[in-house]
Amino acid sequence: MSAAHVIADDAEALAIASELAADFRKDAAERDARRRLPHAELERLSASGLLGVGVPAEFGGADVGAGTLAEIFRLLGAADASLAQIPQSHFVYVNVLRRQGTHAQQEFFFGEVLRGRRLGNAQSEAGTKHVQDIRTRLARRPDGSYVLDGVKHYSTGALFAHWIPVLARADDDTLHVAYVPRDSPGLTVVDDWDGMGQRTTASGTVRLERVSVPADRVVPHHLTFQGPQLHGAVAQLLHAAIDAGIASGALAEAVEFVRTKSRPWFESGLETAAEDPLLIQRFGELAIRVRAAEALLREAARAVDTARDDLTDDSAAEASIAVATAKVTAAETAVEVGSALCEVAGTRSALDSLGLHRHWRDARTHTLHDPARWKVQHIGRYVLSGTRPPRHGLL
């Protein structure tokens, strides 16, 4: 692939994201309907330089703020929630390198990212006791290198990646991340994702059979959680941004449909559906929900940036709680607005050929990533007793 553009600052990043989102929106329904994987779109995303905006300035990146990063994902999520989900892990594992990578590892991988190389994800496993029961093994060889064995599921981005970060347990049972080339012998990516929503994320299976990993491609991820950290807050902020994007995208499609295609209900006596006071009321309610989700997203991003400037137990906790608040609200809003699209648009909006139901399917699928009810619990404990949220990467 040709070298990627290197973005200079936050303003350029947002301008490029807005332009790409407008283009990606045009064929989003068709990609979803046909499950046409977005290979060409991801090449454009790579070439644009957006995947490099999280690289620290000392390594040549724009090192944009959390607010900019969240807005990039919100814009992409409003256009195509599947496409927005694919690079989420890319930024998460760039952050792992920022936190625990050696200078040499950072220099190498940040250079790869700035050249447009994509990081995927081989993290979750199915059939284990719970989501943190990781059984993939990273065994050390006598020469200091490692060998990987295991099976991963929900591996969003792996099929499109140049490098696949693999979450695994070392011989002492501590968590590490191994950065493995996509074409490594013994590594197989299976395109078996069949979710009802986010159909084109290719979030399938990764099989690892005696995959060799040099020592300098392994990062001690377990150290991330031994002090105040923003790993979970940043990861969840991007999820919240995708949900907020789904909600705003669904609302925009509902507005366009009612303005141009919906018929007024005969009892209203009105010429157009857009004049119906009952519909006006409902659109007002939905708009308030979307604006609230977007406002909480911005507030959460500010809390993350504040904590990054002065990382303490208290600032990290405040950031995690702010992000959890935004995530709960954005998730609820995305599901509500995705469903309400058909409610306000009428019977014709349910036609499969229009693809409007993709917004609800994407929202319902994406919001299953981790349960919002547990976030509400941590928010409640923090408010009532000042109990800081746990350091497990999902807050």
Side-chain angles (χ1 to χ4, degrees):
M1 64 183 291
S2 58
H5 172 66
V6 177
I7 291 173
D9 53 31
D10 294 65
E12 184 183 11
L14 290 173
I16 289 174
S18 182
E19 180 183 349
L20 285 178
D23 285 347
F24 293 160
R25 180 179 294 107
K26 296 172 185 175
D27 297 322
E30 183 267 337
R31 282 192 297 274
D32 173 82
R34 297 178 180 271
R35 197 179 176 270
R36 178 171 64 80
L37 300 182
H39 291 285
E41 289 78 11
L42 284 171
E43 288 300 318
R44 285 192 63 192
L45 191 64
S46 290
S48 75
L50 279 181
L51 297 183
V53 298
V55 171
E58 65 180 295
F59 293 94
D63 201 8
V64 302
T68 296
L69 198 56
E71 181 63 6
I72 289 169
F73 274 81
R74 192 195 69 81
L75 288 167
L76 294 175
D80 183 339
S82 288
L83 194 50
Q85 180 63 32
I86 292 167
Q88 190 267 348
S89 291
H90 171 94
F91 284 91
V92 168
Y93 286 103
V94 166
N95 275 340
V96 170
L97 289 163
R98 289 183 66 140
R99 176 82 177 186
Q100 299 300 341
T102 65
H103 183 84
Q105 287 173 326
Q106 291 172 343
E107 191 171 48
F108 174 77
F109 280 109
F110 292 157
E112 286 285 278
V113 169
L114 288 175
R115 284 189 287 274
R117 304 298 193 268
R118 295 183 292 273
L119 306 183
N121 153 42
Q123 177 173 292
S124 296
E125 299 179 10
T128 57
K129 186 176 180 180
H130 51 69
V131 295
Q132 293 203 329
D133 180 16
I134 302 298
R135 300 184 184 181
T136 297
R137 306 308 299 186
L138 183 69
R140 196 174 184 93
R141 288 170 165 162
D143 65 359
S145 66
Y146 296 87
V147 62
L148 269 172
D149 285 284
V151 179
K152 298 289 188 177
H153 298 268
Y154 311 118
S155 302
T156 305
L159 190 70
F160 312 104
H162 300 92
W163 292 88
I164 300 179
V166 180
L167 189 64
R169 294 198 179 275
D171 295 331
D172 61 359
D173 216 37
T174 55
L175 282 175
H176 288 66
V177 175
Y179 290 76
V180 184
R182 165 71 174 80
D183 59 357
S184 295
L187 188 157
T188 305
V189 180
V190 184
D191 180 20
D192 56 0
W193 170 244
D194 64 349
M196 69 172 180
Q198 294 200 300
R199 288 177 172 175
T200 61
T201 59
S203 301
T205 302
V206 171
R207 301 186 185 280
L208 305 143
E209 299 177 24
R210 306 295 296 172
V211 177
S212 295
V213 185
D216 62 357
R217 297 293 181 261
V218 176
V219 174
H221 189 35
H222 62 100
L223 298 179
T224 299
F225 307 103
Q226 292 185 5
Q229 49 80 36
L230 296 172
H231 175 80
V234 172
Q236 289 290 309
L237 180 71
L238 303 186
H239 283 306
I242 293 168
D243 289 339
I246 293 172
S248 64
L251 182 59
E253 288 231 46
V255 167
E256 177 65 16
F257 195 94
V258 170
R259 281 176 175 171
T260 62
K261 296 182 177 64
S262 292
R263 296 181 298 177
W265 183 242
F266 72 95
E267 290 179 286
S268 72
L270 298 169
E271 290 298 313
T272 68
E275 297 173 281
D276 185 334
L278 300 180
L279 281 180
I280 290 171
Q281 175 73 19
R282 187 63 174 129
F283 271 100
E285 294 168 349
L286 297 175
I288 290 168
R289 295 281 282 151
V290 171
R291 286 194 175 203
E294 292 173 348
L296 286 171
L297 182 68
R298 291 191 294 271
E299 179 182 314
R302 284 193 295 270
V304 170
D305 279 332
T306 298
R308 191 166 78 162
D309 291 339
D310 182 19
L311 187 59
T312 65
D313 284 330
D314 287 337
S315 66
E318 183 59 36
S320 289
I321 292 300
V323 170
T325 303
K327 180 64 172 67
V328 170
T329 304
E332 291 175 347
T333 303
V335 172
E336 179 184 354
V337 180
S339 175
L341 191 164
C342 292
E343 170 198 334
V344 297
T347 306
R348 188 180 172 194
S349 66
L351 293 178
D352 204 42
S353 58
L354 296 178
L356 295 176
H357 47 59
R358 76 183 187 281
H359 297 287
W360 180 85
R361 288 187 289 100
D362 286 341
R364 185 65 282 174
T365 301
H366 183 251
T367 55
L368 298 175
H369 181 271
D370 52 276
R373 59 188 176 272
W374 275 97
K375 299 184 191 303
V376 175
Q377 285 283 310
H378 292 306
I379 294 167
R381 291 190 186 102
Y382 185 74
V383 170
L384 278 174
S385 61
T387 302
R388 297 188 188 109
R391 298 170 180 158
H392 55 43
L394 291 174
L395 276 168

